[in-house]
Amino acid sequence: MGTPHLFYINKGELMKLLYLISMTRPGNSIMAAIGVVVGFLFSGNSSRSDLLLLIVSASVSLGFGNVINDLYDIDTDKIAHPDRALPSGKVTANEAKLFMGFLALLALTASFIVSPLHGIATIIPLILLIAYANWLKGTPLA
């Protein structure tokens, strides 16, 4: 038996990846993508690569928000959503935090490739998502 292929993923690793992806609520990304497409059509930009990068940035930013929300709501989710990745133990908090960092990095990279302005416009909602999860969630204004 030879060494495993460089890109070989065993079943356990694949399942872990699928659980992490499920935390991003991929179905919600469709709405984010539609919003980006509509805004893009009004922008006058015709670059398909810019559109793809902005869809990626918006989708993974949304995923970032869902993962951070799951991290902060783990105790509530143990009762309300015990089958979700974190409360069920299929994903650890550390794995979720690493994944969240990856999502933020991917969102920022994609948006800064389009332009510095788009990058800054991505930093702001990421900061707001962190602030919401940490401090604003229980406030009446939020």
Side-chain angles (χ1 to χ4, degrees):
M1 186 189 276
T3 58
H5 187 274
L6 179 63
F7 295 106
Y8 173 79
I9 297 177
N10 68 39
K11 185 178 178 183
E13 292 168 335
L14 178 60
M15 292 307 297
K16 182 75 70 172
L17 180 59
L18 292 174
Y19 288 126
L20 286 167
I21 291 170
S22 75
M23 292 177 68
T24 67
R25 317 290 193 281
N28 294 349
S29 294
I30 295 168
M31 295 306 296
I34 290 169
V36 169
V37 169
V38 169
F40 193 83
L41 291 173
F42 286 105
S43 75
N45 188 337
S46 61
S47 169
R48 290 183 182 168
S49 61
D50 284 358
L51 176 59
L52 179 62
L53 288 165
L54 293 172
I55 288 171
V56 167
S57 181
S59 296
V60 297
S61 293
L62 178 65
F64 170 90
N66 285 322
V67 173
I68 196 169
N69 181 62
D70 281 3
L71 280 164
Y72 280 89
D73 286 351
I74 191 166
D75 291 331
T76 305
D77 285 347
K78 285 179 182 177
I79 297 165
H81 303 284
D83 56 325
R84 285 189 177 170
L86 278 171
S88 68
K90 295 171 183 155
V91 171
T92 68
N94 283 338
E95 290 166 336
K97 288 174 187 175
L98 284 171
F99 186 56
M100 193 176 73
F102 168 75
L103 293 173
L105 183 63
L106 181 57
L108 291 169
T109 300
S111 61
F112 270 105
I113 289 171
V114 175
S115 78
L117 182 61
H118 285 88
I120 292 167
T122 302
I123 289 171
I124 294 167
L126 292 177
I127 291 170
L128 289 173
L129 287 165
I130 293 168
Y132 176 78
N134 278 296
W135 307 288
L136 301 175
K137 193 172 205 170
T139 63
L141 180 59

